[in-house]
Amino acid sequence: GSKKKNSGDIQLRGSVENRVAEEKRDLEIQTLKNVEKSLQKLEALVALDNVKEQVEKLTAFAWMCKMREQRGLSNKPLSLHMVFMGNPGTGKTTVARILGEILHSVGVLETPSVVEVSRGDLIGEYIGQSLPKVNKVISKAKGGILLIDEAYSIVRSDSMRDYGYEVVGHLVKVMEDKRDEIMIIFTG
């Protein structure tokens, strides 16, 4: 025999599809509000016009990449690692935190967290102590941002036996191998 479609099934399916579409739209609206709130924090910072412009461009690019991904289009791998240069107290860490909020809001980062480290958190005193320290901070920052403060101090130019060279080599490898798992920002 032939089976007759129940019009109630069609209405239910349409209702569920409408609800899913509505929830997706609500999520996108909330995402835009979160991004706008973070951009307002950035705008409230004094000066830094070039930084603000770059963050806005990066935000637009990251948003576009996410939209392409949602529509099944491919993107080239996104490498977000950065260098922030400036004197102490110029807002580098604050900008990194705001950037973490924005990139988390648009779905590029899993978490908005920023893990701040310096030379002492990365360099061991003896052979074999540095890489475990580096791996520990990388694990802690996974999904978010690892901010390496005063990055220039990792390698001391006065000694080739300094373990900083090993750390920099390892960080470069992590930056390539785990670029979609962590963002690394060097400051100084």
Side-chain angles (χ1 to χ4, degrees), residues 77-81 174-182:
L78 197 57
S79 182
L80 298 170
H81 310 301
V174 167
M175 289 168 70
E176 181 59 30
D177 294 349
K178 299 184 180 211
R179 70 172 142 205
D180 26 347
E181 296 176 30
I182 188 171

Side-chain angles (χ1 to χ4, degrees), residues 115 134-143 178 182:
V115 175
V134 173
N135 289 333
K136 182 178 178 182
V137 297
I138 288 169
S139 291
K140 188 175 176 185
K142 185 178 178 188
K178 299 184 180 211
I182 188 171

Side-chain angles (χ1 to χ4, degrees), residues 56-102:
E56 287 174 10
K57 285 180 181 178
L58 177 62
T59 302
F61 182 72
W63 182 264
M64 181 203 64
C65 287
K66 276 299 168 186
M67 292 294 105
R68 287 179 51 87
E69 187 179 291
Q70 288 176 357
R71 286 160 179 75
L73 300 170
S74 63
N75 290 310
K76 290 185 177 179
L78 197 57
S79 182
L80 298 170
H81 310 301
M82 298 182 170
V83 174
F84 290 179
M85 297 185 323
N87 293 328
T90 55
K92 297 179 296 290
T93 302
T94 302
V95 170
R97 287 188 186 120
I98 293 169
L99 193 55
E101 291 173 8
I102 292 169

